[in-house]
Amino acid sequence: MARRKIYKVGDDTLRQVSKPVTEFDDKLSALIDDMIDTLIYEDGAGLAAPQVGVLKRIFVATFDGGSTIIEAVNPVIVKAKGKRVAAEGCLSIPEIREKVERPRHVVVHAFDRHGNPIELKADGFEASCFCHEIDHLDGILFTDRSIKKK
Ligand code: NI
């Protein structure tokens, strides 16, 4: 595993729409391992592939102080319910936290690194995190959704 450089706001890479993963190979596994390594080192909750300069639809997340690690390839939100407003931050936008409204509950369908389908159910902070990371795959940053801007 190796840590990767985090791309910061202002870099055009963060504004691109990522492409679906089609090859579930060793290269994908190595990328996901590097993303987990980077996320843990940076002490973040979630990290999407474009944040390390790879325009592929992948995110990783960690909760419970690192005891839960989630990896999602080609994630899609299939159900969203309720509303919740909470402050968010992002490893690509250092030192800024702004309030964002997100669904309170989400169900996400995705694949693991081997291409097996997975279902992720999340509430509250974890739901916000999944939505935030999936936004990255569409070139959207949380500051775009800041409730200050509405
Ligand atoms: Ni982020």
Side-chain angles (χ1 to χ4, degrees):
M1 300 219 280
R3 293 198 303 268
R4 304 226 181 169
K5 183 189 103 174
I6 305 251
Y7 285 52
K8 298 283 161 55
V9 63
D11 193 306
D12 191 52
T13 305
L14 294 174
R15 291 307 193 172
Q16 305 300 310
V17 175
S18 291
K19 293 204 162 59
V21 170
T22 54
E23 304 283 325
F24 293 82
D25 54 9
D26 288 350
K27 207 177 150 198
L28 175 67
S29 255
L31 170 63
I32 292 171
D33 284 342
D34 285 359
M35 286 172 65
I36 292 168
D37 217 10
T38 306
L39 177 65
I40 290 168
Y41 177 78
E42 299 285 347
D43 199 21
L47 182 72
Q51 293 182 273
V52 293
V54 179
L55 290 171
K56 289 191 177 158
R57 302 189 77 84
I58 308 161
F59 76 79
V60 296
T62 181
F63 306 119
D64 310 325
S67 60
T68 304
I69 290 175
I70 286 154
E71 46 190 66
V73 178
N74 298 343
V76 177
I77 297 168
V78 295
K79 205 183 272 184
K81 240 171 63 182
K83 283 178 184 169
R84 172 181 176 267
V85 173
E88 294 185 18
C90 180
L91 294 175
S92 293
I93 313 176
E95 287 165 33
I96 289 185
R97 291 185 67 79
E98 289 178 0
K99 284 185 178 171
V100 180
E101 184 182 290
R102 304 280 192 187
R104 185 170 287 278
H105 311 277
V106 293
V107 179
V108 172
H109 284 179
F111 296 87
D112 68 12
R113 66 175 70 196
H114 308 293
N116 302 309
I118 54 172
E119 181 174 84
L120 304 166
K121 289 182 180 166
D123 297 312
F125 174 75
E126 294 183 18
S128 290
C129 176
F130 290 172
C131 293
H132 174 126
E133 300 315 323
I134 291 169
D135 269 354
H136 273 300
L137 308 181
D138 292 317
I140 299 165
L141 301 176
F142 80 92
T143 45
D144 301 343
R145 298 194 186 275
S146 167
I147 56 174
K148 284 199 306 198
K149 294 193 175 125
K150 284 190 181 162

